């Protein structure tokens, strides 16, 4: 392998692992992938079930740090043990995404299975179906030691604020046009 090939391989070495319990979680979990992609964070993605392929999960989680991963995002629904079992086998930060899956009770079982971890084995749990925030949280964890990423996250927040401003201006114009400007509050 040439030096350039080695450098390319190093460059694309994933920082984040996105795992999920089933193919049926993929659409939702892709939102985390999209955020990481936008922020130019290399990631890997896999379907690994804590119940259906437990040995594979043990192998994945226990080798994750040595393989260079820095954060793991794990999404699952129903009796959602994937994030917790992953956290049991690694000292990397694990972000859990409770999935409102077809077999879940409106995502509440998923949420409780992930959030109520025993003391000593934390999982940073985002909202039900909060896959996008899981991607952002992973980016923010990496951004604590990466200036490029910290700047990209600042810009992300800035763009978000501009969108809200734009919506507020549109609302103001609409109310004004309807003669309802009395409802407007100047901030
Ligand atoms: C969980 O059960 C998976 O993470 C998924 O959210 C849910 C349903 O899985 P499938 O029956 O669609 O494979 O383990």
């Amino acid at each position: 392998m040439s030096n350039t090939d080695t450098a390319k391989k190093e460059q694309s070495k994933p920082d984040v692992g996105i795992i999920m319990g089933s193919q049926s979680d993929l659409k939702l979990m892709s939102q985390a992938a999209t955020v990481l992609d936008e922020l130019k964070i290399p990631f890997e993605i896999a379907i690994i079930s804590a119940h259906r392929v437990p040995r594979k999960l043990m192998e994945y989680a226990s080798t994750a740090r040595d393989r260079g991963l820095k954060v793991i995002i794990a999404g699952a629904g129903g009796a959602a043990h994937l994030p917790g079992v992953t956290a049991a086998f690694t000292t990397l930060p694990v972000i859990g995404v409770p999935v409102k899956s077809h077999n879940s009770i409106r995502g509440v079982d998923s949420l409780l299975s992930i959030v109520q971890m025993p003391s000593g084995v934390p999982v940073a749990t985002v909202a039900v179906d909060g896959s996008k925030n899981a991607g952002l949280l992973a980016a923010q964890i990496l951004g604590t030691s990466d200036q490029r990423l910290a700047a990209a996250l600042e810009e992300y927040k800035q763009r978000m604020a501009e969108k809200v401003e734009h919506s507020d201006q549109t609302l103001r114009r609409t109310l004004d046009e309807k003669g309802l400007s009395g409802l407007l509050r100047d901030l």
Side-chain angles (χ1 to χ4, degrees):
M1 202 186 287
S2 73
N3 281 349
T4 332
D5 286 345
T6 315
K8 265 190 198 154
K9 202 157 190 262
E10 277 300 311
Q11 249 177 20
S12 59
K13 227 171 118 186
D15 285 333
V16 180
I18 302 176
I19 57 175
M20 65 209 81
S22 169
Q23 161 79 26
S24 60
D25 302 319
L26 187 56
K27 188 164 178 244
L28 175 77
M29 294 307 291
S30 300
Q31 293 177 20
T34 302
V35 169
L36 296 177
D37 210 34
E38 277 170 17
L39 293 165
K40 300 186 177 32
I41 298 169
F43 62 91
E44 62 180 28
I45 192 157
I47 296 167
I48 307 178
S49 164
H51 301 122
R52 294 163 176 159
V53 286
R55 286 182 191 83
K56 192 172 169 191
L57 176 59
M58 182 178 71
E59 173 71 12
Y60 181 92
S62 56
T63 60
R65 183 184 284 278
D66 286 346
R67 289 185 293 108
L69 291 184
K70 299 190 176 90
V71 185
I72 297 175
I73 297 172
H81 297 130
L82 183 74
V85 174
T86 302
F89 283 111
T90 184
T91 53
L92 292 176
V94 175
I95 302 171
V97 182
V99 179
K100 202 193 288 172
S101 57
H102 61 84
N103 65 329
S104 80
I105 304 166
R106 296 192 308 279
V108 175
D109 44 357
S110 325
L111 172 65
L112 296 180
S113 302
I114 296 175
V115 80
Q116 289 297 109
M117 285 296 290
S119 157
V121 189
V123 167
T125 310
V126 293
V128 170
D129 285 352
S131 172
K132 182 176 174 181
N133 268 2
L136 277 170
L137 184 55
Q140 289 179 338
I141 291 169
L142 296 172
T144 57
S145 58
D146 180 332
Q147 280 312 311
R148 180 206 66 82
L149 194 49
L153 285 161
E154 278 298 336
E155 280 171 29
Y156 185 94
K157 271 207 188 304
Q158 186 59 38
R159 283 198 301 277
M160 207 164 47
E162 281 165 12
K163 269 190 205 156
V164 175
E165 278 307 318
H166 179 75
S167 302
D168 188 46
Q169 291 306 328
T170 307
L171 173 67
R172 283 168 177 275
R173 265 199 310 277
T174 309
L175 289 177
D176 207 26
E177 280 161 18
K178 290 183 188 296
L180 295 169
S181 53
L183 294 175
L184 293 173
R185 173 173 294 269
D186 279 322
L187 295 170

